[in-house]
Amino acid sequence: MPYVDRVTSDLEAQLRAVSLRVTRPRLAVLAALRDHRHVDTDTVISLVRADHPMVSHQAVYDVLRALTDAGLVRRIQPAGATARYETRVGDNHHHLVCRTCGAIVDVPCAVGHAPCLTASDDHGYVIDEAEVVFWGVCPDCATPRSS
Ligand SMILES: [Zn+2]
Ligand SMILES: [Zn+2]
Ligand SMILES: [Zn+2]
């Protein structure tokens, strides 16, 4: 089977696994997110519309919401940044964000499952997640630019 068809049937299987109807916009958004990590909504729109000019902005918004609700896509929103989307879900990985340029990279969870921090007092709550974001300065921004 050609690569493109194999990827498409793979994405179709992902949609069917969560009982979502297979539609062209859903396949296009999943394909864009498979190739580009931590992209914001505007980037997803331009990636999708480059291949499928007929897909509207609103359709992309709707698809992102449906895929996120279904758990196929993870939405992350570091404080002060626009929401980003990725298809790496279910592994409780964390993100490292550059304060200067906003670059985001994945950091595998040292513990591997949620919650990976223990609350000093759980106040009787059943805690299932600790939201961890690492902030810092990326190597590019830390190196003084020679002009
Ligand atoms: Zn940076
Ligand atoms: Zn990530
Ligand atoms: Zn962790």
Side-chain angles (χ1 to χ4, degrees):
M1 200 189 287
Y3 176 71
V4 172
D5 291 348
R6 194 147 38 84
V7 167
T8 303
S9 67
D10 196 31
L11 299 177
E12 286 177 2
Q14 284 186 35
L15 288 169
R16 292 208 183 89
V18 295
S19 309
L20 283 180
R21 208 156 45 84
V22 174
T23 65
R24 192 178 299 271
R26 285 173 179 167
L27 290 175
V29 169
L30 276 179
L33 290 175
R34 161 182 292 229
D35 295 339
H36 303 268
R37 268 196 185 165
H38 310 132
V39 284
D40 62 13
T41 307
D42 286 347
T43 306
V44 176
I45 289 172
S46 47
L47 288 168
V48 166
R49 287 170 58 94
D51 287 339
H52 308 275
M54 307 302 286
V55 176
S56 70
H57 288 217
Q58 188 58 47
V60 173
Y61 285 116
D62 292 346
V63 167
L64 282 171
R65 191 172 328 109
L67 295 178
T68 304
D69 288 349
L72 289 183
V73 167
R74 178 173 165 187
R75 179 184 195 273
I76 57 165
Q77 187 157 26
T82 52
R84 312 295 185 93
Y85 296 89
E86 65 182 335
T87 49
R88 182 174 169 180
V89 296
D91 66 350
N92 197 49
H93 74 272
H94 304 305
H95 295 100
L96 178 52
V97 186
C98 175
R99 288 188 191 282
T100 305
C101 70
I104 299 178
V105 292
D106 287 336
V107 183
C109 178
V111 175
H113 58 81
C116 57
L117 295 175
T118 307
S120 58
D121 182 351
D122 63 15
H123 295 273
Y125 284 47
V126 177
I127 296 175
D128 58 28
E129 183 182 354
E131 196 173 290
V132 179
V133 178
F134 297 100
W135 292 90
V137 179
C138 76
D140 284 350
C141 294
T143 310
R145 227 167 276 276
S146 49
S147 51

